[in-house]
Amino acid sequence: MKTTTKTILLTAGLAIAAAASSCMSGSHSAAGGEVTGVGGASWAEPTPYGMVLIDRGSMHVGVAKDDSLWNLRADARGISVDAFWMDETEITNGKYKQFVFWVRDSIIRERLADPAYGGNEDYKITEDRDGNPVTPHLDWSKPIPWRNPSEEELRAIESVYRTNPITGVRELDAAQLNYRYEIYDQTAAVQRRHRLDPSRRDYNTDHPVATDNPTISKDTAFIDEDGRIVRQTISRQLTGDYDFINTYIVNIYPDTTAWVNDFENAYNEPYVRMYFANGGYSDYPVVGVSWEQASAFCNWRTDFLRRSLGREGVYIEPYRLPTEAEWEYAARAGVDENIYPWEGDLALSEDRGCFYANFKPGEGNFVRDGHLITSRVGTYAPNDFGLYDMAGNVSEWTSTAFTESVSRLTSDLNPEYRYNAATEDPYRLKRKIVRGGSWKDVAHNIRADLRMWEYQNEQRSYIGFRCVRTQIGFARGNKHK
């Protein structure tokens, strides 16, 4: 196993190198009056921690052959994807717990600055280095007084914990762990029909120019008086780019009760208590995380990197969930003939009797592959792209919305279908595609060419995720083929 289980270390050495725009060659430097072109700033990035580069490439995705036994119809089609970085393993409990603790610590810092808990203004930054006022925000360089806190500080720290009324154990109050974030919907913002200048929405001069701005919809969220998260999708007349900023508030604590609710009449209570909380499972994939929670993690991971690099206000490619096409291309290592992340049609080696993934080998037999539930990430050999557990262990969320006709709706260039369902939308519009199969699935269901789905707010004991980032710079072409 590689360094996938180490604690994330973000250093200044990760900083993105960018050429200053002042270094561009101006047109006055061209000799002899000829047009020679103007140079521009370019930048590249080092390998993100724990990720591997998937070079751009093409393949046929989907099922290639009819299979009457499993009621599969051939629907393979050619697609191409650009280069991207992908986590070499699924996100672990340990990595997701870093997110949980960050949210916990942000709440504590807010309360340490609250007059109700002593009002220590040192926990908030209100001015920049030049003394100019800025929007107040947390000062993360100010440590939390975990040892020897004052009475007010202790109240702030203890306010995010609760005493379990049954066991008497002190534990995090999961209901408080809400993460608020904003997403700029660039895809909607740049569409012609949303331009502020009506004359630039339709270039057909035979059509009359619209006089009114279009109506757009956006997501917003707030916490009501009872502490509940209220999400709303509102409609408003377009006024500017800020109308495409969507606000979300997500409770980010995993649903540890999924181990019981997913399996009736089974004694899985120990996993409820231990799987996420016990350090012995730190290197196991996080489960009980919804699509909404996984998306929130990606946003936090991006912001965490930006802050650590001191690059606030500078664009960096965000961490995100992979599109379905990216996921399948990466899982099958870009090879049309692969129906699994490895060569062949079997999930184990017939010669040596060893398994290629963590799945359910037989009826009622979960342990033949050496594991009862999930396994440590990276337990099995990686595919040819260097990715672990792209089959089995846990199914994985993608960013792609599910509909029965999704393959016909998407382009063959970086295909993606997104639908941000409003609260009032029918539940069937809130389905997202999951891939890869899990520890509870038979060998057929961990095939890399099969599409499955789940509702975006569901939390399952067999669904996790991994992140991707579009590569900054110039892809070299697929070196793996």
Side-chain angles (χ1 to χ4, degrees):
M1 185 173 172
K2 296 186 179 181
T3 58
T4 57
T5 62
K6 293 183 179 178
T7 303
I8 294 177
L9 298 176
L10 295 172
T11 67
L14 287 173
I16 298 172
S21 58
S22 60
C23 296
M24 294 183 185
S25 299
S27 59
H28 62 273
S29 64
E34 297 292 342
V35 176
T36 60
V38 176
S42 63
W43 60 94
E45 61 179 345
T47 301
Y49 182 86
M51 287 187 152
V52 295
L53 178 63
I54 309 300
D55 285 327
R56 65 188 178 195
S58 64
M59 71 173 297
H60 286 83
V61 295
V63 177
K65 298 179 181 178
D66 289 339
D67 188 337
S68 58
L69 178 63
W70 292 94
N71 194 28
L72 296 178
R73 297 184 62 184
D75 64 350
R77 67 185 188 114
I79 60 96
S80 295
V81 293
D82 207 345
F84 58 95
W85 301 97
M86 190 175 215
D87 283 324
E88 60 183 355
T89 72
E90 297 140 341
I91 296 299
T92 62
N93 283 319
K95 289 183 177 180
Y96 195 85
K97 199 174 293 183
Q98 185 176 358
F99 178 32
V100 170
F101 286 172
W102 186 94
V103 173
R104 176 202 65 182
D105 293 353
S106 68
I107 296 172
I108 292 175
R109 284 185 166 87
E110 287 283 359
R111 291 177 181 170
L112 287 168
D114 188 334
Y117 295 93
N120 189 341
E121 297 179 354
D122 291 343
Y123 285 96
K124 282 289 186 74
I125 295 175
T126 58
E127 296 180 345
D128 62 19
R129 295 177 180 178
D130 299 323
N132 300 314
V134 297
T135 301
H137 57 280
L138 294 178
D139 183 358
W140 283 85
S141 67
K142 175 80 172 167
I144 294 173
W146 296 107
R147 296 184 178 182
N148 302 318
S150 66
E151 183 177 345
E152 292 81 5
E153 292 170 338
L154 181 61
R155 283 199 301 118
I157 293 172
E158 290 298 316
S159 68
V160 298
Y161 291 89
R162 65 188 286 267
T163 300
N164 188 299
I166 304 301
T167 64
V169 174
R170 176 180 176 267
E171 59 190 18
L172 274 174
D173 185 0
Q176 296 189 52
L177 299 178
N178 299 322
Y179 176 70
R180 181 186 184 276
Y181 69 102
E182 295 179 336
I183 291 289
Y184 175 64
D185 188 352
Q186 186 178 43
T187 299
V190 301
Q191 291 174 350
R192 284 185 177 179
R193 68 176 183 268
H194 291 152
R195 288 174 176 169
L196 286 176
D197 183 352
S199 66
R200 298 185 64 240
R201 296 176 194 156
D202 185 354
Y203 289 153
N204 189 333
T205 55
D206 291 339
H207 296 166
V209 177
T211 56
D212 297 328
N213 283 343
T215 298
I216 59 97
S217 63
K218 63 178 295 182
D219 293 331
T220 186
F222 63 92
I223 297 178
D224 66 14
E225 294 179 353
D226 297 322
R228 292 183 296 234
I229 298 173
V230 178
R231 177 184 169 187
Q232 295 178 334
T233 300
I234 61 175
S235 296
R236 60 186 295 175
Q237 194 171 42
L238 177 64
T239 60
D241 283 344
Y242 282 101
D243 292 330
F244 297 102
I245 295 178
N246 297 284
T247 302
Y248 301 98
I249 301 176
V250 179
N251 184 274
I252 52 90
Y253 201 83
D255 182 7
T256 58
T257 68
W259 289 102
V260 168
N261 290 304
D262 287 342
F263 301 93
E264 293 185 0
N265 301 318
Y267 181 65
N268 289 339
E269 282 86 343
Y271 307 137
V272 174
R273 296 188 293 268
M274 306 299 288
Y275 186 80
F276 186 68
N278 191 302
Y281 287 102
S282 290
D283 298 331
Y284 287 66
V286 67
V287 296
V289 173
S290 70
W291 180 91
E292 295 166 349
Q293 291 173 313
S295 298
F297 176 93
C298 293
N299 180 272
W300 166 79
R301 188 175 178 182
T302 303
D303 193 54
F304 186 72
L305 175 62
R306 184 183 293 112
R307 290 174 183 270
S308 299
L309 298 177
R311 293 267 167 176
E312 294 184 64
V314 176
Y315 181 80
I316 62 172
E317 280 296 323
Y319 291 99
R320 54 183 175 81
L321 294 176
T323 67
E324 181 192 28
E326 288 173 333
W327 193 97
E328 183 172 342
Y329 176 76
R332 297 170 67 182
V335 179
D336 288 359
E337 292 73 25
N338 287 355
I339 64 172
Y340 290 104
W342 50 83
E343 294 181 6
D345 298 336
L346 298 175
L348 73 162
S349 169
E350 290 185 307
D351 296 336
R352 293 175 293 170
C354 60
F355 289 84
Y356 298 145
N358 177 15
F359 63 101
K360 183 180 178 181
E363 183 179 356
N365 188 345
F366 291 89
V367 298
R368 186 178 163 208
D369 60 1
H371 306 281
L372 180 64
I373 54 169
T374 58
S375 56
R376 280 189 174 88
V377 298
T379 295
Y380 297 88
N383 72 355
D384 286 345
F385 278 4
L387 299 168
Y388 296 86
D389 300 317
M390 294 299 283
N393 212 15
V394 293
S395 298
E396 299 179 17
W397 291 110
T398 73
S399 61
T400 307
F402 175 81
T403 176
E404 286 75 6
S405 57
V406 63
S407 294
R408 296 190 296 272
L409 292 173
T410 54
S411 169
D412 56 1
L413 172 65
N414 294 320
E416 171 68 326
Y417 176 69
R418 292 188 180 182
Y419 182 78
N420 294 326
T423 302
E424 61 271 16
D425 277 339
Y427 200 35
R428 63 184 176 84
L429 296 181
K430 300 173 183 178
R431 295 177 291 178
K432 297 295 187 288
I433 292 173
V434 295
R435 286 302 204 112
S438 75
W439 58 271
K440 74 168 187 63
D441 291 310
V442 296
H444 173 271
N445 291 340
I446 66 170
R447 283 173 48 166
D449 60 345
L450 295 184
R451 173 183 295 142
M452 294 163 279
W453 60 266
E454 184 54 89
Y455 294 104
Q456 65 186 45
N457 62 342
E458 274 288 3
Q459 299 158 295
R460 299 295 191 184
S461 60
Y462 46 84
I463 299 181
F465 69 101
R466 70 181 77 207
C467 303
V468 299
R469 270 176 74 184
T470 300
Q471 185 201 25
I472 296 176
F474 307 98
R476 300 185 298 275
N478 198 330
K479 67 182 179 181
H480 303 286
K481 290 188 176 181

